Amino acid sequence: MIKDDCIFCKIANGKIPTNIVFENEDVMAFEDVAPMMPVHTLIVPKQHYENIADDVPVEVLGKVFAAVKTVAEIKGVKESGFRVVVNTNDDARQSVHHLHIHVLGGAKMNIGDPKA
Ligand code: AMP
């Protein structure tokens, strides 16, 4: 399903231009508009799921998480290291309710701060 009023549905399906890092049939990776780190890329499924707790089929989860390594390679952080963050619902301050993975890296992080 694609949700008409979802910004990440629009980005993932080419309705809004973005800075694409990687794309295949099922997944889009693009640069976060407000990067918290030198590398801050988002990976989303092209189909709409609210978050990781939204009965996401395991095949979709596999495709989204498989893109992490590809993005890390493209962005040059596979060897230096990176952090993967999946904010889910209000306590985690999920602000865009379309499943997305943050890939953060490019500098040494503070321990315990998932977006530092
Ligand atoms: P979260 O707080 O986990 O829901 O993260 C949502 C992320 O999406 C934030 O880091 C935003 O900066 C980012 N974001 C929101 N709108 C856009 C957009 N149009 N293009 C790229 N990134 C976006």
Side-chain angles (χ1 to χ4, degrees):
M1 183 197 59
I2 293 167
K3 205 172 162 202
D4 287 344
D5 61 350
C6 170
I7 187 158
F8 282 6
C9 279
K10 290 180 183 161
I11 289 173
N13 293 280
K15 309 281 188 228
I16 293 179
T18 191
N19 201 341
I20 298 173
V21 173
F22 168 75
E23 183 177 14
N24 64 25
E25 197 182 330
D26 306 293
V27 168
M28 168 89 84
F30 54 95
E31 302 293 16
D32 195 293
V33 75
M36 310 284 286
M37 293 283 292
V39 171
H40 191 167
T41 302
L42 303 174
I43 304 170
V44 304
K46 291 189 174 180
Q47 294 290 311
H48 184 84
Y49 300 94
E50 293 282 310
N51 56 50
I52 201 168
D54 183 22
D55 294 329
V56 188
V58 68
E59 296 78 19
V60 175
L61 289 174
K63 285 168 179 168
V64 171
F65 276 90
V68 170
K69 177 186 171 207
T70 306
V71 166
E73 284 170 345
I74 292 168
K75 299 302 294 181
V77 295
K78 184 169 163 249
E79 305 305 329
S80 55
F82 59 92
R83 187 172 288 174
V84 165
V85 174
V86 188
N87 293 323
T88 305
N89 280 330
D90 289 350
D91 280 0
R93 301 186 187 279
Q94 182 182 5
S95 61
V96 179
H97 292 270
H98 177 123
L99 171 62
H100 54 281
I101 299 179
H102 296 256
V103 178
L104 298 151
K108 206 70 139 181
M109 296 181 199
N110 298 322
I111 291 170
D113 184 346
K115 270 188 157 184

